[in-house]
Amino acid sequence: MSSEFEFEFEVPPVAGEVAILQAVQSGLGSHPSVISVARGMSHFGEHALGWIALAAVGYVADPPRRRQWAGAAVGAVGAHAASIAIKRVVRRPRPDHPAVAVNVSTPSKLSFPSSHATSTTAAAVLLGRLTGLPLPALLVPPMLLSRMVLGVHYPSDVLAGAALGALSATAVIAAEKKFGDA
């Protein structure tokens, strides 16, 4: 502990997670085009900025549903913020194993939960609900895999992030129902 008022603990990787990362990287990650796409996804999802931009376009283009578009942006940002807060408490370091290639830079050395998985899941649930498209099924699995292809998250990081993102989206939906169009 760095001070008497700071609470932190470290969660080690679950047994077998390095082997899963190796399998993902030797399979999907062995194709340079996959790494390029994963890097693009990483940049899009950084700090939930891509999701905010999409929600902003919807906000401008769809005036009758501006509140829902704004809710999608708030949900993605709130989910991202929640993941950052949890990262600072858990303090799990990113994968650091000779068999795992790190294929993108990251803003921090902390990995649990994946902020990309968290904000992507929240955005996909909220934008999918708004558009009627199956966005969680289309967007979440590729983002989770991309974080492992890039070697910056353990499988449990991305799964926890997806769960946190789903909870965040549920909170936004509950707030929308409670406060309605008032």
Side-chain angles (χ1 to χ4, degrees), residues 3-136:
S3 84
E4 63 183 282
F5 299 107
E6 202 172 299
F7 176 74
E8 60 185 56
F9 60 95
E10 190 174 310
V11 176
V14 176
E17 287 195 292
V18 170
I20 294 169
L21 282 176
Q22 288 176 285
V24 168
Q25 288 193 330
S26 66
L28 285 172
S30 66
H31 306 285
S33 60
V34 171
I35 292 174
S36 293
V37 169
R39 283 186 182 136
M41 293 171 70
S42 182
H43 296 305
F44 179 87
E46 194 67 45
H47 306 296
L49 293 175
W51 303 120
I52 295 166
L54 281 179
V57 169
Y59 185 89
V60 170
D62 187 8
R65 299 189 301 168
R66 281 189 168 158
R67 178 173 280 194
Q68 291 90 344
W69 288 104
V74 168
V77 169
H80 177 77
S83 72
I84 296 300
I86 293 169
K87 276 183 194 236
R88 291 184 180 195
V89 171
V90 174
R91 307 202 62 79
R92 175 194 271 177
R94 292 193 186 271
D96 183 24
H97 189 278
V100 176
V102 176
N103 295 306
V104 71
S105 63
T106 58
S108 86
K109 296 185 183 300
L110 304 176
S111 78
F112 184 92
S114 164
S115 296
H116 283 76
T118 304
S119 62
T120 296
T121 302
V125 169
L126 296 167
L127 294 172
R129 180 173 174 255
L130 184 54
T131 63
L133 298 171
L135 296 180

